[in-house]
Amino acid sequence: MTKGIQYGRLGPRCAHLCVDMQNLFLKPTEWQTPWMQCICPTIAHLVEAHSTDTIFTRFIPPRTSEEVNGAWRRYYRRWASMTRDTLPARLLDIIPDLKRFIPPATVVDKQRYSPFFSSDLKRILDERNIDSLVITGAETDICVLASILPAIDWGYRVIVASDGVCSSADQGHDALIDLYHDRFSQQVEIASVSDIISAW
């Protein structure tokens, strides 16, 4: 599998979208993602190099399952321990190793998997005249996936940091990295953070 920066250097119209690197997924909750601890230093290295260009997303659950509709209501009845009436507010924060870069990095809150669906992300990207996105964060096969697919549809050049994404399901992570490369090879590049920094 060929990986790396395939389509030229990254420039001033590139942004780093860091998906849901929150205490909610780092700490021992029902949604804990153990691999997150491993990718934190790598992502921090990228954010340090491009803090002004970084946008963090935060996944914000509803207060109760009754605040949402359709299948989301069933979802939050299953995960009642992860609603805001139950969770300590500090768990919604960006993890400390990355929060120190805010500002100049910015934060966008979302209530769904995709930040393109329920946040100001698209407006912010348009205001900054962004045409390329480096994507890191968690989880590779849920919220990262839900960030990549609409980014493709909007026509952004997408670079996934191979050592900057993770999942609580190894099989799902591995399958999605292969999918991004094999099925979206004209629209998604997969490169290490060191290669991304060198090209940006």
Side-chain angles (χ1 to χ4, degrees), residues 47-66:
V47 178
E48 187 170 24
H50 289 281
S51 53
T52 303
D53 305 309
T54 295
I55 301 168
F56 292 106
T57 69
R58 292 195 313 165
F59 185 76
I60 308 296
R63 292 194 181 280
T64 73
S65 63
E66 301 310 304

Side-chain angles (χ1 to χ4, degrees), residues 134-152:
V134 171
I135 297 182
T136 62
E139 293 187 56
T140 315
D141 45 354
I142 302 181
C143 290
V144 170
L145 172 64
S147 302
I148 290 172
L149 291 180
I152 291 171

Side-chain angles (χ1 to χ4, degrees), residues 111-178:
Q111 292 79 46
R112 300 291 189 265
Y113 293 148
S114 175
F116 285 95
F117 179 75
S118 59
S119 80
D120 293 330
L121 177 63
K122 185 63 169 62
R123 177 186 58 79
I124 292 168
L125 297 177
D126 288 346
E127 287 175 353
R128 298 184 185 184
N129 201 26
I130 297 300
D131 65 6
S132 304
L133 291 173
V134 171
I135 297 182
T136 62
E139 293 187 56
T140 315
D141 45 354
I142 302 181
C143 290
V144 170
L145 172 64
S147 302
I148 290 172
L149 291 180
I152 291 171
D153 279 343
W154 279 109
Y156 293 101
R157 177 185 178 185
V158 175
I159 303 93
V160 177
S162 57
D163 51 354
V165 292
C166 70
S167 174
S168 56
D170 291 350
Q171 185 177 8
H173 169 85
D174 294 343
L176 264 294
I177 292 295
D178 289 344

Side-chain angles (χ1 to χ4, degrees), residues 57-77:
T57 69
R58 292 195 313 165
F59 185 76
I60 308 296
R63 292 194 181 280
T64 73
S65 63
E66 301 310 304
E67 284 190 356
V68 290
N69 57 10
W72 282 109
R73 183 167 293 178
R74 180 174 64 247
Y75 179 86
Y76 282 110
R77 285 174 179 163

Side-chain angles (χ1 to χ4, degrees), residues 18-94:
C18 184
V19 178
D20 300 357
M21 292 294 288
Q22 297 165 252
N23 293 323
L24 183 64
F25 306 107
L26 180 68
K27 302 297 183 182
T29 70
E30 287 196 88
W31 288 352
Q32 185 178 26
T33 304
W35 282 104
M36 184 180 279
Q37 189 68 54
C38 298
I39 66 170
C40 287
T42 311
I43 294 177
H45 185 47
L46 177 58
V47 178
E48 187 170 24
H50 289 281
S51 53
T52 303
D53 305 309
T54 295
I55 301 168
F56 292 106
T57 69
R58 292 195 313 165
F59 185 76
I60 308 296
R63 292 194 181 280
T64 73
S65 63
E66 301 310 304
E67 284 190 356
V68 290
N69 57 10
W72 282 109
R73 183 167 293 178
R74 180 174 64 247
Y75 179 86
Y76 282 110
R77 285 174 179 163
R78 162 63 183 87
W79 300 107
S81 67
M82 306 306 292
T83 56
R84 294 203 325 271
D85 269 359
T86 304
L87 285 171
R90 67 180 182 279
L91 292 181
L92 300 177
D93 284 347
I94 302 298

